[in-house]
Amino acid sequence: MKAPSVLLVIAVFANFLTPVSGAENAASNHRLRVYKESLTSDLSETFRQKHGENAKTLTADHISDAAVMNHMQKANALNRLENEIKTRFADRFTSSYVEERDVGDLVLHISIKNLQDEEKTRLSHDYESVIFHASPYSRTEIRHLVSRILNKIRDAGALGLLGGGYADQSGHFIVSVLDGWETFVRHVIQGDSELNRLPIKIKISGLLVANAAPD
């Protein structure tokens, strides 16, 4: 499921809330159009399953200005909730993403390390627009482990290493390598007593080709 970027663009379009005229109004209309296009591209798989074939024909023209304003207000509210929860669980916070179930129907997903059922139920009552998930790691631990994995592979001489990260929804660490390096990288991981216990998936990418541009 794609994690929509609506919370990241709110600040850019905050000036929609203030009436303008002339050239400023034209600029605001342009940014409003861009925002609408962003909404249509960021809609989640949940939305597409709900609307089926109709989801493929949704364009910025189908989204009203009122829907955009409502969307902004909800996104701002979720942004405040996200910051509040991050502060509340500073040592246990793992990750977050926003699911767009429909235009303006936003749900914030947050993962917290070692979240127990009783605590999850209590938090669900405290934050109605948030869905909580348990994670085996905190964000700090994930960063450390990703660095540990990549450094181990890089130090072993894997020239085909492209990068890595953590997929919270699947619970796997991801290592991206060029085609032909999978066996080598897998051998490095299996030879490390700590890394071979981690849920690691190796993603194979094709050869990168750089296009030269004239000076």
Side-chain angles (χ1 to χ4, degrees):
M1 180 184 296
K2 183 181 179 182
S5 58
V6 292
L7 296 183
L8 301 179
V9 297
I10 286 299
V12 178
F13 302 99
N15 59 345
F16 288 149
L17 302 177
T18 303
V20 292
S21 60
E24 291 180 340
N25 186 56
S28 293
N29 288 337
H30 173 71
R31 288 192 292 269
L32 179 62
R33 177 72 182 187
V34 173
Y35 191 95
K36 289 181 179 182
E37 292 175 350
S38 174
L39 292 185
T40 60
S41 65
D42 282 342
L43 290 174
S44 70
E45 185 62 28
T46 302
F47 173 88
R48 305 191 185 284
Q49 291 174 357
K50 178 179 179 180
H51 292 274
E53 291 297 320
N54 292 332
K56 298 179 181 179
T57 61
L58 179 69
T59 67
D61 294 327
H62 294 99
I63 303 177
S64 67
D65 292 357
V68 170
M69 301 305 293
N70 178 59
H71 186 281
M72 288 181 177
Q73 292 174 355
K74 290 188 175 181
N76 272 318
L78 290 184
N79 194 29
R80 290 192 295 270
L81 281 180
E82 180 185 26
N83 290 332
E84 178 183 332
I85 295 169
K86 281 182 177 179
T87 301
R88 181 175 175 179
F89 295 94
D91 296 332
R92 298 170 57 197
F93 181 83
T94 302
S95 63
S96 63
Y97 70 93
V98 174
E99 176 188 5
E100 182 112 24
R101 293 180 169 178
D102 211 328
V103 178
D105 182 7
L106 308 177
V107 177
L108 176 63
H109 291 256
I110 287 186
S111 296
I112 297 175
K113 179 183 177 181
N114 296 336
L115 186 65
Q116 303 301 312
D117 290 341
E118 181 179 345
E119 187 179 23
K120 181 178 179 180
T121 300
R122 186 169 64 254
L123 287 172
S124 297
H125 284 98
D126 293 343
Y127 304 97
E128 295 181 356
S129 300
V130 183
I131 296 178
F132 290 90
H133 307 274
S135 172
Y137 313 101
S138 68
R139 180 169 54 179
T140 300
E141 290 171 335
I142 288 173
R143 289 173 175 171
H144 168 74
L145 288 171
V146 168
S147 178
R148 168 92 165 77
I149 293 169
L150 297 183
N151 286 338
K152 180 70 176 183
I153 296 172
R154 189 178 295 111
D155 292 345
L159 301 179
L161 177 64
L162 298 178
Y166 182 74
D168 182 63
Q169 295 178 57
S170 67
H172 287 88
F173 291 91
I174 307 298
V175 175
S176 180
V177 300
L178 290 175
D179 189 17
W181 284 90
E182 178 183 7
T183 301
F184 180 89
V185 170
R186 196 175 299 280
H187 178 74
V188 172
I189 293 172
Q190 292 174 347
D192 187 289
S193 59
E194 178 187 9
L195 300 187
N196 64 20
R197 296 196 301 267
L198 297 177
I200 299 176
K201 283 188 175 182
I202 299 177
K203 180 181 178 182
I204 310 299
S205 298
L207 182 63
L208 300 179
V209 178
N211 293 321
D215 293 334

